[in-house]
Coordinates of all heavy atoms in Angstrom, one line a residue:
M220 N 6.0 -19.7 28.1 CA 6.4 -18.8 27.0 C 7.7 -18.2 27.5 O 7.9 -17.7 28.6 CB 5.4 -17.8 26.7 CG 5.7 -17.1 25.4 SD 4.5 -15.8 25.0 CE 3.0 -16.8 24.9
K221 N 8.7 -18.2 26.5 CA 10.0 -17.5 26.8 C 10.0 -16.1 26.2 O 9.3 -15.9 25.2 CB 11.1 -18.3 26.3 CG 11.4 -19.6 27.0 CD 12.5 -20.4 26.4 CE 12.8 -21.7 27.2 NZ 13.9 -22.4 26.6
R222 N 10.9 -15.3 26.7 CA 11.0 -13.9 26.2 C 12.5 -13.7 25.7 O 13.4 -14.3 26.3 CB 10.7 -12.9 27.2 CG 9.3 -12.8 27.6 CD 9.1 -11.7 28.5 NE 7.8 -11.7 29.2 CZ 7.4 -10.8 30.0 NH1 8.2 -9.8 30.3 NH2 6.2 -10.9 30.5
V223 N 12.6 -12.9 24.7 CA 13.9 -12.5 24.3 C 14.0 -10.9 24.3 O 13.1 -10.3 23.7 CB 14.2 -13.0 22.8 CG1 15.5 -12.5 22.3 CG2 14.1 -14.5 22.8
R224 N 15.0 -10.4 24.8 CA 15.1 -8.9 24.9 C 15.6 -8.4 23.6 O 16.4 -9.0 22.8 CB 16.1 -8.5 26.0 CG 15.5 -8.7 27.4 CD 16.4 -8.2 28.4 NE 16.6 -6.8 28.2 CZ 17.0 -6.0 29.2 NH1 17.3 -6.5 30.4 NH2 17.2 -4.7 29.0
S225 N 15.2 -7.2 23.3 CA 15.6 -6.5 22.0 C 15.9 -5.1 22.3 O 15.2 -4.5 23.2 CB 14.5 -6.7 21.0 OG 14.6 -5.7 20.0
N226 N 16.8 -4.5 21.6 CA 17.1 -3.0 21.8 C 16.3 -2.2 20.9 O 16.4 -1.0 20.9 CB 18.6 -2.8 21.6 CG 19.4 -3.4 22.7 OD1 19.0 -3.6 23.8 ND2 20.7 -3.6 22.3
W227 N 15.5 -2.8 20.0 CA 14.7 -2.1 19.0 C 13.7 -1.1 19.7 O 13.0 -1.4 20.6 CB 13.8 -3.0 18.2 CG 14.6 -3.8 17.2 CD1 16.0 -4.0 17.2 CD2 14.1 -4.6 16.2 NE1 16.3 -4.9 16.2 CE2 15.2 -5.3 15.6 CE3 12.8 -4.9 15.8 CZ2 15.0 -6.2 14.5 CZ3 12.6 -5.8 14.7 CH2 13.7 -6.4 14.1
Q228 N 13.7 0.1 19.1 CA 12.7 1.1 19.5 C 11.7 1.3 18.5 O 10.8 2.1 18.6 CB 13.4 2.5 19.7 CG 14.4 2.4 20.9 CD 15.3 3.7 20.9 OE1 15.3 4.5 20.0 NE2 16.1 3.8 22.0
G229 N 11.8 0.5 17.4 CA 10.9 0.5 16.3 C 11.5 -0.3 15.2 O 12.6 -0.9 15.3
A230 N 10.8 -0.4 14.1 CA 11.3 -1.1 12.9 C 10.9 -0.4 11.6 O 9.9 0.2 11.6 CB 10.8 -2.5 13.0
V231 N 11.8 -0.6 10.7 CA 11.5 -0.1 9.3 C 11.3 -1.4 8.4 O 12.2 -2.3 8.4 CB 12.6 0.8 8.7 CG1 12.4 1.1 7.3 CG2 12.7 2.0 9.6
L232 N 10.2 -1.5 7.8 CA 9.9 -2.6 6.9 C 10.3 -2.2 5.5 O 9.8 -1.1 5.0 CB 8.5 -3.0 7.0 CG 7.9 -3.3 8.4 CD1 6.4 -3.8 8.3 CD2 8.7 -4.3 9.1
V233 N 11.1 -3.0 4.8 CA 11.5 -2.7 3.4 C 11.1 -3.8 2.5 O 11.4 -5.0 2.9 CB 13.0 -2.4 3.4 CG1 13.5 -2.1 2.0 CG2 13.4 -1.3 4.3
C234 N 10.5 -3.5 1.4 CA 10.1 -4.6 0.5 C 11.3 -5.2 -0.2 O 12.0 -4.6 -0.9 CB 9.1 -4.0 -0.6 SG 8.8 -5.3 -1.9
G235 N 11.5 -6.5 0.1 CA 12.6 -7.2 -0.4 C 12.5 -7.4 -1.9 O 13.5 -7.5 -2.6
K236 N 11.3 -7.6 -2.4 CA 11.1 -7.8 -3.9 C 11.4 -6.6 -4.7 O 12.1 -6.7 -5.7 CB 9.6 -8.3 -4.1 CG 9.4 -8.8 -5.5 CD 8.0 -9.3 -5.7 CE 7.8 -9.8 -7.1 NZ 6.4 -10.2 -7.4
C237 N 11.0 -5.4 -4.2 CA 11.4 -4.1 -4.8 C 12.9 -4.0 -4.9 O 13.5 -3.7 -5.9 CB 10.9 -2.9 -4.0 SG 9.2 -2.6 -4.1
Q238 N 13.6 -4.3 -3.8 CA 15.1 -4.3 -3.7 C 15.7 -5.2 -4.7 O 16.6 -4.9 -5.4 CB 15.5 -4.6 -2.3 CG 15.2 -3.6 -1.3 CD 16.1 -3.7 0.0 OE1 16.7 -2.8 0.4 NE2 16.1 -4.9 0.5
K239 N 15.1 -6.4 -4.8 CA 15.7 -7.4 -5.6 C 15.6 -7.0 -7.1 O 16.5 -7.1 -7.9 CB 14.9 -8.7 -5.4 CG 15.7 -9.9 -6.0 CD 14.9 -11.2 -5.6 CE 15.6 -12.4 -6.1 NZ 14.9 -13.7 -5.8
K240 N 14.5 -6.3 -7.4 CA 14.3 -5.9 -8.8 C 15.2 -4.8 -9.2 O 15.7 -4.7 -10.3 CB 12.8 -5.4 -9.0 CG 11.8 -6.5 -9.1 CD 10.5 -6.1 -9.6 CE 9.7 -5.3 -8.6 NZ 8.3 -5.0 -9.0
L241 N 15.6 -3.9 -8.2 CA 16.5 -2.8 -8.4 C 17.9 -3.2 -8.6 O 18.7 -2.6 -9.2 CB 16.4 -1.8 -7.3 CG 15.4 -0.7 -7.4 CD1 15.5 0.3 -6.3 CD2 15.5 0.1 -8.7
K242 N 18.3 -4.3 -7.9 CA 19.7 -4.8 -7.9 C 20.6 -3.7 -7.4 O 21.5 -3.3 -8.1 CB 20.1 -5.3 -9.3 CG 19.3 -6.5 -9.8 CD 19.7 -6.8 -11.2 CE 18.8 -8.0 -11.6 NZ 18.7 -8.1 -13.1
G243 N 20.4 -3.2 -6.2 CA 21.2 -2.1 -5.7 C 20.5 -0.8 -5.8 O 19.3 -0.7 -5.4
G244 N 21.2 0.3 -6.2 CA 20.5 1.6 -6.4 C 20.8 2.6 -5.4 O 20.5 3.8 -5.5
F245 N 21.4 2.2 -4.2 CA 21.7 3.1 -3.2 C 23.2 3.1 -2.8 O 23.9 2.2 -3.1 CB 20.8 2.8 -1.9 CG 19.4 2.9 -2.2 CD1 18.6 1.8 -2.7 CD2 18.7 4.1 -2.1 CE1 17.3 1.9 -3.0 CE2 17.4 4.2 -2.4 CZ 16.6 3.1 -2.9
G246 N 23.6 4.2 -2.1 CA 25.0 4.3 -1.7 C 25.7 5.1 -2.8 O 25.2 5.4 -3.9
P247 N 27.0 5.5 -2.5 CA 27.8 6.3 -3.4 C 27.9 5.7 -4.8 O 27.9 6.4 -5.8 CB 29.2 6.4 -2.7 CG 29.0 5.9 -1.4 CD 27.7 5.1 -1.3
K248 N 28.1 4.4 -4.9 CA 28.2 3.8 -6.2 C 26.9 3.1 -6.7 O 26.9 2.4 -7.7 CB 29.3 2.7 -6.2 CG 30.7 3.3 -5.9 CD 31.7 2.2 -6.0 CE 33.1 2.8 -5.7 NZ 34.1 1.8 -5.6
R249 N 25.8 3.4 -5.9 CA 24.5 2.8 -6.2 C 24.5 1.3 -6.4 O 23.8 0.7 -7.3 CB 23.9 3.4 -7.5 CG 23.6 4.9 -7.3 CD 22.8 5.4 -8.4 NE 22.5 6.8 -8.2 CZ 21.5 7.4 -8.8 NH1 20.7 6.7 -9.7 NH2 21.2 8.7 -8.6
K250 N 25.3 0.6 -5.6 CA 25.4 -0.8 -5.7 C 24.8 -1.5 -4.4 O 24.7 -2.7 -4.4 CB 26.9 -1.2 -5.7 CG 27.5 -0.9 -7.1 CD 28.9 -1.5 -7.2 CE 29.5 -1.3 -8.5 NZ 30.9 -1.8 -8.7
N251 N 24.4 -0.7 -3.4 CA 23.9 -1.3 -2.2 C 22.4 -1.3 -2.2 O 21.7 -0.4 -2.8 CB 24.4 -0.5 -1.0 CG 25.9 -0.7 -0.8 OD1 26.5 -1.7 -1.3 ND2 26.5 0.3 -0.1
S252 N 21.8 -2.2 -1.4 CA 20.4 -2.2 -1.2 C 20.0 -1.1 -0.2 O 20.8 -0.6 0.5 CB 19.9 -3.6 -0.7 OG 20.5 -3.7 0.6
L253 N 18.7 -0.8 -0.2 CA 18.2 0.2 0.8 C 18.5 -0.2 2.2 O 18.9 0.6 3.0 CB 16.8 0.5 0.5 CG 16.1 1.6 1.4 CD1 16.8 2.9 1.3 CD2 14.6 1.7 1.1
T254 N 18.2 -1.5 2.5 CA 18.4 -1.9 3.9 C 19.9 -1.8 4.3 O 20.1 -1.3 5.4 CB 18.0 -3.4 4.1 OG1 18.6 -4.2 3.1 CG2 16.5 -3.6 4.0
K255 N 20.8 -2.2 3.4 CA 22.2 -2.1 3.8 C 22.6 -0.6 4.0 O 23.3 -0.3 4.9 CB 23.0 -2.7 2.6 CG 24.5 -2.9 3.0 CD 25.2 -3.7 1.9 CE 26.6 -4.0 2.3 NZ 27.3 -4.8 1.3
E256 N 22.1 0.2 3.1 CA 22.5 1.7 3.2 C 21.9 2.3 4.4 O 22.5 3.2 5.0 CB 22.0 2.3 1.9 CG 22.8 3.5 1.4 CD 24.3 3.3 1.4 OE1 24.8 2.2 1.0 OE2 25.0 4.2 1.8
L257 N 20.7 2.0 4.8 CA 20.0 2.5 6.0 C 20.8 2.1 7.2 O 21.1 2.9 8.1 CB 18.6 2.0 6.1 CG 17.5 2.8 5.4 CD1 16.2 2.1 5.5 CD2 17.4 4.2 5.9
R258 N 21.2 0.8 7.3 CA 21.9 0.3 8.4 C 23.3 1.1 8.5 O 23.7 1.5 9.6 CB 22.2 -1.2 8.3 CG 21.1 -2.0 8.8 CD 21.6 -3.4 9.1 NE 20.4 -4.3 9.2 CZ 20.0 -5.1 8.2 NH1 20.7 -5.3 7.1 NH2 18.9 -5.8 8.3
A259 N 23.9 1.2 7.4 CA 25.2 1.9 7.4 C 25.1 3.4 7.7 O 25.9 3.9 8.6 CB 25.9 1.8 6.0
H260 N 24.1 4.0 7.2 CA 23.9 5.5 7.4 C 23.6 5.8 8.9 O 24.1 6.7 9.5 CB 22.7 6.0 6.6 CG 22.5 7.5 6.7 ND1 23.3 8.4 6.2 CD2 21.6 8.1 7.4 CE1 22.9 9.6 6.5 NE2 21.8 9.5 7.3
C261 N 22.8 4.9 9.5 CA 22.5 5.1 10.9 C 23.4 4.4 11.9 O 23.2 4.4 13.1 CB 21.0 4.7 11.2 SG 19.8 5.7 10.3
G262 N 24.4 3.6 11.4 CA 25.3 2.9 12.2 C 24.6 1.9 13.1 O 24.9 1.7 14.3
L263 N 23.7 1.1 12.5 CA 22.9 0.2 13.3 C 23.6 -1.2 13.3 O 24.1 -1.7 12.3 CB 21.5 0.0 12.6 CG 20.6 1.2 12.6 CD1 19.4 1.0 11.8 CD2 20.2 1.6 14.0
A264 N 23.5 -1.8 14.5 CA 24.0 -3.2 14.6 C 22.9 -4.1 14.0 O 21.7 -3.7 13.9 CB 24.2 -3.5 16.0
K265 N 23.3 -5.2 13.5 CA 22.4 -6.2 12.9 C 21.5 -6.9 14.0 O 21.9 -7.0 15.1 CB 23.1 -7.3 12.1 CG 23.3 -6.9 10.7 CD 23.8 -8.1 9.9 CE 23.7 -7.9 8.4 NZ 24.2 -9.1 7.7
G266 N 20.4 -7.3 13.6 CA 19.5 -8.1 14.5 C 19.0 -7.3 15.6 O 18.8 -6.1 15.6
R267 N 18.6 -8.0 16.7 CA 18.0 -7.3 17.8 C 18.9 -6.5 18.7 O 18.4 -5.8 19.6 CB 17.3 -8.4 18.7 CG 18.2 -9.4 19.3 CD 17.5 -10.6 20.0 NE 18.4 -11.5 20.4 CZ 18.9 -11.5 21.7 NH1 18.5 -10.7 22.5 NH2 19.8 -12.5 22.0
K268 N 20.2 -6.5 18.4 CA 21.1 -5.6 19.2 C 21.1 -4.2 18.8 O 21.5 -3.3 19.5 CB 22.5 -6.2 19.0 CG 22.7 -7.6 19.4 CD 23.0 -7.8 20.8 CE 23.3 -9.3 21.1 NZ 23.3 -9.7 22.4
G269 N 20.6 -3.9 17.6 CA 20.5 -2.6 17.1 C 19.4 -1.8 17.8 O 18.5 -2.4 18.3
R270 N 19.4 -0.5 17.7 CA 18.3 0.3 18.4 C 17.1 0.4 17.5 O 16.1 0.9 17.9 CB 18.8 1.6 18.8 CG 19.3 2.5 17.7 CD 19.9 3.8 18.3 NE 21.1 4.2 17.6 CZ 21.1 4.7 16.4 NH1 20.0 4.9 15.8 NH2 22.2 5.1 15.8
L271 N 17.3 0.0 16.2 CA 16.2 0.0 15.2 C 16.3 -1.2 14.3 O 17.4 -1.5 13.9 CB 16.3 1.3 14.4 CG 15.2 1.6 13.4 CD1 13.9 2.0 14.1 CD2 15.6 2.7 12.4
G272 N 15.2 -1.8 14.1 CA 15.2 -3.0 13.2 C 15.0 -2.5 11.8 O 14.1 -1.7 11.5
I273 N 15.7 -3.1 10.9 CA 15.5 -2.8 9.4 C 15.2 -4.2 8.9 O 16.0 -5.1 8.9 CB 16.8 -2.3 8.7 CG1 17.3 -1.1 9.4 CG2 16.5 -2.0 7.3 CD1 16.5 0.2 9.3
V274 N 13.9 -4.4 8.6 CA 13.4 -5.8 8.2 C 13.0 -5.8 6.8 O 12.1 -5.0 6.4 CB 12.3 -6.1 9.2 CG1 11.8 -7.6 8.9 CG2 12.7 -6.0 10.6
E275 N 13.6 -6.8 6.1 CA 13.1 -7.0 4.7 C 11.9 -7.9 4.7 O 11.9 -8.9 5.4 CB 14.3 -7.7 3.9 CG 14.3 -7.4 2.5 CD 15.6 -7.9 1.8 OE1 16.6 -7.3 2.0 OE2 15.4 -9.0 1.2
V276 N 10.9 -7.4 4.0 CA 9.6 -8.2 4.0 C 9.2 -8.6 2.6 O 9.8 -8.1 1.7 CB 8.5 -7.4 4.7 CG1 8.8 -7.1 6.2 CG2 8.2 -6.1 4.0
K277 N 8.2 -9.4 2.5 CA 7.7 -9.7 1.2 C 7.0 -8.5 0.5 O 6.8 -7.5 1.2 CB 6.7 -10.9 1.3 CG 7.5 -12.2 1.7 CD 6.5 -13.4 1.6 CE 7.2 -14.7 1.9 NZ 6.3 -15.8 1.9
C278 N 6.5 -8.7 -0.7 CA 5.9 -7.7 -1.5 C 4.8 -7.1 -0.7 O 3.9 -7.7 0.0 CB 5.3 -8.3 -2.8 SG 4.4 -7.1 -3.7
L279 N 4.7 -5.7 -0.7 CA 3.7 -5.0 0.1 C 2.6 -4.5 -0.8 O 1.7 -3.7 -0.4 CB 4.4 -3.7 0.7 CG 5.4 -4.1 1.9 CD1 6.2 -2.9 2.2 CD2 4.7 -4.6 3.1
D280 N 2.5 -5.1 -2.0 CA 1.4 -4.8 -3.0 C 1.3 -3.4 -3.5 O 0.2 -3.0 -3.8 CB 0.1 -5.3 -2.4 CG -0.1 -6.8 -2.5 OD1 0.6 -7.4 -3.3 OD2 -0.8 -7.4 -1.7
I281 N 2.4 -2.7 -3.5 CA 2.4 -1.4 -4.1 C 3.1 -1.5 -5.5 O 2.6 -0.9 -6.5 CB 3.1 -0.3 -3.2 CG1 2.5 -0.3 -1.8 CG2 3.1 1.1 -3.9 CD1 1.1 0.3 -1.7
C282 N 4.2 -2.2 -5.4 CA 5.0 -2.5 -6.6 C 5.3 -1.3 -7.6 O 4.8 -1.3 -8.7 CB 4.3 -3.7 -7.4 SG 3.9 -5.0 -6.4
P283 N 6.0 -0.3 -7.0 CA 6.3 0.8 -7.9 C 7.4 0.4 -8.9 O 8.2 -0.6 -8.7 CB 6.9 1.8 -6.9 CG 7.5 1.0 -5.8 CD 6.6 -0.2 -5.7
K284 N 7.5 1.1 -10.0 CA 8.5 0.8 -11.0 C 9.8 1.5 -10.6 O 9.7 2.7 -10.3 CB 8.1 1.3 -12.4 CG 7.1 0.4 -13.1 CD 7.0 0.7 -14.5 CE 6.1 -0.1 -15.4 NZ 5.3 -1.1 -14.9
K285 N 10.9 0.8 -10.5 CA 12.2 1.4 -10.2 C 12.2 2.2 -8.9 O 12.6 3.4 -8.9 CB 12.7 2.3 -11.3 CG 13.0 1.4 -12.6 CD 13.5 2.3 -13.7 CE 13.8 1.4 -14.9 NZ 14.1 2.1 -16.1
A286 N 11.6 1.6 -7.8 CA 11.7 2.3 -6.5 C 11.4 1.2 -5.5 O 11.1 0.0 -5.8 CB 10.6 3.3 -6.4
V287 N 11.6 1.5 -4.2 CA 11.4 0.6 -3.1 C 10.4 1.1 -2.1 O 10.5 2.3 -1.7 CB 12.8 0.4 -2.4 CG1 12.6 -0.6 -1.2 CG2 13.9 -0.1 -3.3
V288 N 9.5 0.3 -1.7 CA 8.5 0.7 -0.7 C 9.1 0.4 0.7 O 9.6 -0.7 0.9 CB 7.2 -0.1 -0.9 CG1 6.2 0.3 0.2 CG2 6.6 0.2 -2.3
A289 N 9.0 1.4 1.6 CA 9.4 1.2 3.0 C 8.5 1.9 3.9 O 7.9 2.9 3.5 CB 10.9 1.7 3.1
L290 N 8.4 1.5 5.1 CA 7.6 2.2 6.1 C 8.2 2.0 7.5 O 8.9 1.0 7.8 CB 6.2 1.7 6.1 CG 6.0 0.2 6.5 CD1 5.1 0.2 7.7 CD2 5.4 -0.6 5.4
N291 N 8.0 3.0 8.3 CA 8.4 3.0 9.7 C 7.2 2.5 10.5 O 6.1 3.0 10.4 CB 8.8 4.4 10.1 CG 9.3 4.4 11.6 OD1 9.1 3.5 12.4 ND2 10.0 5.5 11.9
T292 N 7.4 1.4 11.3 CA 6.2 0.8 12.0 C 5.7 1.8 13.0 O 4.5 1.7 13.5 CB 6.6 -0.5 12.7 OG1 7.7 -0.2 13.5 CG2 6.9 -1.6 11.7
N293 N 6.5 2.8 13.5 CA 6.0 3.8 14.4 C 5.1 4.8 13.7 O 4.4 5.6 14.4 CB 7.2 4.6 15.1 CG 7.9 3.6 16.0 OD1 7.3 2.7 16.5 ND2 9.2 3.9 16.3
H294 N 5.1 4.9 12.3 CA 4.3 5.8 11.5 C 3.7 4.9 10.4 O 3.9 5.2 9.2 CB 5.1 6.9 11.0 CG 6.0 7.6 12.0 ND1 5.4 8.5 12.9 CD2 7.3 7.6 12.2 CE1 6.4 9.0 13.6 NE2 7.5 8.4 13.3
S295 N 3.0 3.9 10.8 CA 2.6 2.9 9.8 C 1.5 3.4 8.8 O 1.1 2.7 7.9 CB 2.2 1.6 10.4 OG 1.1 1.9 11.4
G296 N 0.9 4.6 9.1 CA -0.1 5.1 8.3 C 0.4 5.8 7.0 O -0.3 6.1 6.1
V297 N 1.8 6.0 6.9 CA 2.4 6.6 5.8 C 3.5 5.7 5.3 O 4.4 5.4 6.0 CB 2.9 8.0 6.1 CG1 3.5 8.6 4.8 CG2 1.9 8.9 6.7
W298 N 3.4 5.2 4.0 CA 4.4 4.4 3.4 C 5.2 5.2 2.5 O 4.6 6.1 1.8 CB 3.8 3.2 2.7 CG 3.1 2.2 3.6 CD1 2.7 2.5 4.9 CD2 2.6 0.9 3.3 NE1 2.1 1.4 5.4 CE2 2.0 0.4 4.4 CE3 2.7 0.2 2.1 CZ2 1.4 -0.9 4.4 CZ3 2.1 -1.1 2.1 CH2 1.5 -1.6 3.3
Q299 N 6.5 5.0 2.3 CA 7.3 5.8 1.4 C 7.7 4.9 0.2 O 8.0 3.7 0.3 CB 8.6 6.2 2.1 CG 8.4 7.0 3.4 CD 7.7 8.3 3.2 OE1 7.9 9.0 2.1 NE2 6.9 8.8 4.1
I300 N 7.7 5.6 -0.9 CA 8.2 5.0 -2.2 C 9.5 5.7 -2.5 O 9.5 6.9 -2.8 CB 7.2 5.1 -3.3 CG1 5.9 4.4 -3.0 CG2 7.8 4.6 -4.6 CD1 4.8 4.6 -3.9
I301 N 10.6 5.0 -2.3 CA 11.9 5.5 -2.3 C 12.6 5.2 -3.6 O 12.8 4.0 -4.0 CB 12.7 5.1 -1.1 CG1 12.0 5.4 0.2 CG2 14.1 5.6 -1.1 CD1 12.5 4.8 1.4
E302 N 13.0 6.3 -4.3 CA 13.7 6.1 -5.6 C 15.2 5.8 -5.4 O 15.8 6.3 -4.5 CB 13.5 7.3 -6.5 CG 12.0 7.5 -6.8 CD 11.7 8.6 -7.7 OE1 12.6 9.5 -7.9 OE2 10.6 8.7 -8.3
P303 N 15.8 5.0 -6.3 CA 17.2 4.8 -6.2 C 18.0 6.1 -6.3 O 17.6 7.0 -7.0 CB 17.5 3.9 -7.4 CG 16.3 3.9 -8.3 CD 15.2 4.4 -7.5
G304 N 19.1 6.1 -5.6 CA 20.0 7.3 -5.6 C 19.5 8.4 -4.6 O 20.2 9.4 -4.5
S305 N 18.4 8.1 -3.9 CA 17.9 9.1 -2.9 C 19.0 9.4 -1.8 O 19.6 8.4 -1.4 CB 16.6 8.6 -2.3 OG 15.6 8.5 -3.3
D306 N 19.0 10.6 -1.4 CA 19.9 11.0 -0.3 C 19.4 10.3 1.0 O 18.2 10.5 1.3 CB 20.0 12.5 -0.2 CG 20.9 13.0 0.9 OD1 22.1 12.7 0.8 OD2 20.3 13.6 1.9
M307 N 20.3 9.7 1.7 CA 19.9 9.0 2.9 C 19.4 9.9 4.0 O 18.6 9.5 4.8 CB 21.1 8.2 3.5 CG 21.3 6.8 2.8 SD 19.8 5.8 2.9 CE 19.5 5.5 1.2
E308 N 19.8 11.2 4.0 CA 19.3 12.1 5.0 C 17.8 12.4 4.7 O 17.0 12.4 5.6 CB 20.0 13.5 4.9 CG 21.4 13.5 5.5 CD 21.4 13.3 7.0 OE1 20.5 13.8 7.6 OE2 22.4 12.7 7.5
H309 N 17.5 12.5 3.4 CA 16.1 12.7 3.0 C 15.2 11.4 3.3 O 14.1 11.5 3.8 CB 15.9 13.1 1.6 CG 16.5 14.4 1.3 ND1 17.3 14.7 0.2 CD2 16.3 15.6 2.0 CE1 17.7 16.0 0.3 NE2 17.1 16.6 1.3
V310 N 15.8 10.3 3.0 CA 15.1 9.0 3.3 C 14.8 8.8 4.7 O 13.7 8.5 5.1 CB 16.0 7.8 2.7 CG1 15.3 6.5 3.1 CG2 16.1 7.9 1.2
T311 N 15.8 9.1 5.6 CA 15.6 8.9 7.0 C 14.6 9.9 7.6 O 13.7 9.6 8.4 CB 16.9 9.0 7.8 OG1 17.6 10.2 7.5 CG2 17.8 7.8 7.6
A312 N 14.6 11.1 7.0 CA 13.7 12.2 7.4 C 12.3 11.7 7.0 O 11.3 11.9 7.8 CB 14.0 13.5 6.9
A313 N 12.1 11.3 5.8 CA 10.8 10.8 5.3 C 10.2 9.7 6.1 O 9.0 9.6 6.4 CB 10.9 10.5 3.8
L314 N 11.1 8.8 6.5 CA 10.7 7.6 7.3 C 10.5 8.0 8.8 O 10.0 7.1 9.5 CB 11.7 6.5 7.2 CG 11.7 5.8 5.8 CD1 13.0 4.9 5.7 CD2 10.5 4.9 5.6
G315 N 10.9 9.1 9.2 CA 10.8 9.5 10.6 C 11.8 8.8 11.5 O 11.5 8.6 12.6
I316 N 13.0 8.6 10.9 CA 14.0 7.9 11.7 C 15.0 9.0 12.2 O 15.5 9.8 11.4 CB 14.8 6.9 10.9 CG1 13.9 5.8 10.3 CG2 15.9 6.3 11.7 CD1 14.6 5.0 9.2
D317 N 15.4 8.9 13.5 CA 16.4 9.8 14.0 C 17.6 9.0 14.2 O 17.7 8.3 15.2 CB 15.9 10.5 15.3 CG 16.9 11.5 15.8 OD1 17.9 11.7 15.2 OD2 16.7 12.0 16.9
C318 N 18.6 9.1 13.3 CA 19.8 8.3 13.4 C 20.7 8.7 14.6 O 21.5 7.9 15.0 CB 20.6 8.4 12.1 SG 19.8 7.5 10.7
Q319 N 20.5 9.9 15.1 CA 21.4 10.4 16.1 C 20.9 10.0 17.5 O 21.6 10.2 18.5 CB 21.5 11.9 16.1 CG 21.9 12.5 14.7 CD 23.1 11.8 14.1 OE1 24.1 11.6 14.9 NE2 23.1 11.5 12.8
A320 N 19.6 9.5 17.6 CA 19.0 9.2 18.9 C 19.8 8.2 19.6 O 20.2 7.2 19.1 CB 17.6 8.8 18.7
E321 N 20.0 8.4 20.9 CA 20.7 7.4 21.8 C 19.7 6.4 22.2 O 18.5 6.7 22.4 CB 21.3 8.2 23.0 CG 22.4 9.1 22.7 CD 23.6 8.3 22.1 OE1 23.9 7.2 22.6 OE2 24.2 8.8 21.2
P322 N 20.1 5.2 22.4 CA 19.2 4.2 22.9 C 18.6 4.6 24.3 O 19.3 5.1 25.1 CB 20.1 2.9 23.1 CG 21.3 3.2 22.3 CD 21.4 4.7 22.2
G323 N 17.3 4.4 24.4 CA 16.6 4.7 25.6 C 16.2 6.1 25.7 O 15.5 6.5 26.7
S324 N 16.5 7.0 24.8 CA 16.1 8.4 24.9 C 14.7 8.6 24.2 O 14.3 7.8 23.5 CB 17.1 9.3 24.2 OG 17.2 9.0 22.8
Ligands
FES122 S1 7.4 -5.6 -5.3 FE1 7.7 -4.2 -3.6 S2 5.7 -3.7 -3.1 FE2 5.5 -5.2 -4.5

């Protein structure tokens, strides 16, 4: 078995179907997806090089109207239903993400 190193300290799972239904909804012009906005807000590199994974997944069977389901795998007991236009500071706080954290800290 081979191994691949990753800088991830955790991952946020975001429902891709919710995002697709919203067609954007986040960012200053509300044109970006939640995943894109989270990556931009926290300055995350894409893929395994980033310190946190933002992973789009299939339907999580909550299916809220006009919102996106997301969860932090480090706090998987609480899932968030995030409405479009939400402030990213509030979203990251609700998800338990510390965007200022240095890798390895
Ligand atoms: S469509 Fe997102 S949870 Fe079902």
